Amino acid sequence: MGVAMTMELLAPAGGPEPFRAALAAGADAIYCGVGNDFNARRGAHNFTYDTFEQACRAAHLAGTRVYVTINVVVRDDEMDRALALVRSAAIRGADAFIVQDWGLFEAIRRTWPELELHVSTQANVHDARGVRWCRERGAHRVTLSRELSLPEIARIAKEGVELEVFGHGALCYCYSGVCLMSSMAGGRSANRGLCAQPCRLLYRLVDERGRDVAAPGRTRPLCPKDACTAADVAALMDAGVGSLKVEGRMKAPDYVWSVVGAYREQIDSVLAAGDAAVPELGATPVSPAVAHRLKRAFNRDFTDAYLRGSADDEMMSYERSNNRGELAGEVLSSSGGQVQRRNGRGNLHKDPRQDKHSTRCTVTIRVSEPVGAGDLLELRPVDDPDAFLTATAQVDAEPGDIIECRVARPMPKGCPVRVIRSAAAHAGSDAALLLEVPRKRRVSVRVVARLGEPFRVELACVDGPALPDGSLPHASAEGFVVEPARTRPVTAEDLAEHVGRMGSTPFEPVSFEVELDENCGMGFSAVHKVRAAACERLEHAILEPYAARARALAAAPKGASSAVAAATLTAAAVPAPAGNAAPTPAADVAPEVCVLAPTPEVAAVAVAAGATRVYAQVDDLDTLEGWPTDTIAILDEVCREPDHARLDAHVVAGVPVAVGNVSELALAAERGAAPELRGCIPVHNEACLAALEAAGAAGVWLSPELTLEEIARLASCANVPVGLVVSGRPRVMTAEHCVLKVVDACIHDCARCGLRARRLSLRDRDGRLLPVRTDLHARSRIYDAVPLDLTPQVGDLVAAGVTRLAVDATLLDEAEATAAVERLVHALAAVAAGRKPAARERHASSGHLFWGIG
C-alpha cells in the first residue's frame, strides 16, 4: 500500500529569529510562546505581542499556520491573565492554542468557541479512549505521548481526531505531564515550563549498601538519545499522523533551519513518490545531504525505538548528554606541542621535558565524511573522553582526504573526530535571516488583455491553508483600458515577464495563463501598477479572515475560573457520583486515614494502626493474595492500548477506583464507577476541578505541587471529597524505559528479574538517594530523595476541607508503615483535642506546602 496523504511539518520557534529560519526552511506551521508566563519553555526568548503580530503576518502570507503554546498548569489567580493572553494572541493572528490545563481548555472553549484548541503532550494522552474524550470536549488536535508505537498511533488515528506526533529532537525520560523530579528537587516545575532537566545529569545506580551496580561508563541512566524519524516519514503518514513536530524551542536559528529543512525535503520526497513510497518503519530513503544536516545539528545520537515498540538500551545515551554531532574521521598522528599525561588521580599534567614555549601542536586527521571549511570539530579520546579538544577545519575535505588542524595538545592515534557545528548550516541560516521575505507563497497568474477592456491580473494561491469558505486565497485587479498598439504590440511572453516581476512581494509565480488579443499595445509601468494592486489585494484576501475574527472576538472575562466552573457544572447537570454520598460540608466530615499499600501484609498492619481506606496498585492486587475486600484499585498514570486488558477489569460500576489519566476517567464514567483523580492529573484551578467533576470525577487527590493556600481554595469549591498524600516519598518520574537496564544484565523477563526485588536507588551528584522501582511491564518509577511529612499541618489541611489524608507506604515495610499510619492518627487526635501535632520528622520535607512552584 502506498502513501496518498500529506502531513504537516510543525517547527519550533523560541523567538523571532528561529521563527524566520523555520519559515525559510519550509515549515507548514510553527509553534511558539508569547510572553514568559504560560508556556513550557519559559526560558526561551519567546515573543512580545508586537513581534508576534509581525511573525503571524509573515507566516500567513507564506501559507504557514502559527500555534501558541499555553501548555502549563494555571493557578486560579492567573486564569484571567492567561485568557487575556489568548485573546491578545488570537487578535494578532494565532491559528490555534496548545493547552495542557483542562480548566484553561474549558475556559477558552466556552469563551471563544471559534478558536482552535490542541491538547498538549503534557496532558498525558496515549490511547484511543483518551483521544476520544478530548474530541468530545472540543479538541481539534491531540499531541500524543512520545512513547507510543506505530501500531498504537495507527489505532488512535481511527478516532477521527487530528494527531500530532513528535518526530525529531529531545526525548524526556519521563512521560510528559507526570514528571515532578525538577519540581520536588528545586521548585522548577516541568508543569510550569521551568524544567531543570535533571534527567541529563550524572547518577549512579546503587544497592542497599550503597555499592555501585551500574555497568562501567553508564553514568547517565536517565538520558535518552534524541528522536529521529526521517526514515519513518512514509510510515507515519500511512498511520494517519496529521502533524510531524520538531522539538526545539530552546534551539538556535541554525538548528531550526537545518532540521526543518531536512524534514521538508523528506516529506516532499514521500509525496512526490506517491504510491511508490513504502509505508514501513525505516523505509523512507534518507539522502546523504539530509543525513548530514540532521547529524550536524545538535543531537545526542538518534533513535526511533519507541515507534518500533522498544524501550531498550538502543534508545539511551548513557555516556554523555551533550552534542555528539556526526562522526567524521579519526586522528592519524600528532606533532609538536606539550604532551600531557594523567596521574593516578586523573589530573592532567604537562611533561616537564617538553619545551615550555611549545603550546600548540598539529593533528593529522583522515576524513570519513565531508568536512567544510569553518566546521567545528571535536576530538574526544575513547579511553579518556573528558580530555577532549575542539578545532576548526581550515579547508573543505571529502571522504578519504587527510587534513591538519592546530590544537592545544596532542591527541592519541585513532581518536574519533566529530563535526559538532556546521559552518554551512550557520551560513544558510544567516542568509535566510537576511531575506526581506523568508518564504514566498506560490501563485498561479492569469493575465487578460482584451482590446477595449480593462487590463486584468488574477492571482491564486496554489497551496497552503484555505479560506473559511474552503477555497484557496485569490484576488484580481483591473487597470487601464487596452488599446491597439501604436508601435510594437506586446507579446504573451512580455506580459508573463513583467507581471511575474513580483520582487519584494510575498508571492512567487509558478504558472502563467495569458489571454491576449492581437495587436495590443500598453506601457509596462501601467502593467506593473495593476500587478502591484493584485498582489495587495491577495495579501488582503489572505489576512482578512484573521482581521474579521479579531473584530468579532469577545472580550476576555473577569473572574474566569469561578465563572467557568459554575457554567460547566450547570451545563453538565452533574448527578451525585456513583458510590458516594451527596457532598457534606467539610467541617462535618471526619477525615479518613488512607494508605497506599504495596502488599496485603502492609495493608493489614495499616488498618490495625488506624487506616480506614486502603489503596493498592493493580499489579499488586492481581498477583498477591490476602487484600482487604474493600481495597481500592490504583490505575496507572499510563494507560496505553496494551494496558487495557489488565487495567479495565478493575473499573466496576459503583466501586471507587483511583484513575491516573483521562482515558481511565472516561472508562470509569462510562461504567458508572466512582473515579478518584490521582495527583498525576494536575488540578490547579477551580475551572479544572469543575471540568473534571462534570466528566465524572467522584473524588480528587491533589498534586504535591500545590501550596496550603491553593489547596484550601480548591477544597472550598469542590463538590467531591478532596484528598492529599501527607506522608511518604512522592513519585517523581514514570518512564517506559527500565532504569535497571543500566546494569547491563537484563534477562527480558520482569517477573523473574532479581534486580526488581532489591531496594535500589539512584545516587545523584549531591549524594542523595532516589529510590527506584520497576514494575512487571518494565516501566520504572523513581521516587523523591526526601520523604514528605505534612502531619504537623493536618489541622490546617482538615480545616481547609481536605477529608482524605494518605500515607504512601509504597516503599515502606510493615514496621515503617505502622509507624507512619500511627503518626498520622496521632496527629489527627491531637488536632481534635486542641493540641499541636508532633514536629516534622527529621530529614523530611513539607514539599511545596509553604513555597509554591514557579
Side-chain angles (χ1 to χ4, degrees), residues 440-474:
K440 295 198 171 193
R441 191 161 183 180
R442 301 189 306 157
V443 296
S444 63
V445 182
R446 181 169 181 262
V447 179
V448 180
R450 300 290 189 192
L451 288 171
E453 297 179 5
F455 179 79
R456 186 165 76 252
V457 173
E458 300 173 359
L459 304 177
C461 296
V462 300
D463 53 20
L467 296 172
D469 65 5
S471 67
L472 287 170
H474 55 279

Side-chain angles (χ1 to χ4, degrees), residues 795-810:
D796 295 327
L797 293 170
V798 172
V802 177
T803 58
R804 290 174 180 163
L805 303 169
V807 171
D808 186 345
T810 300

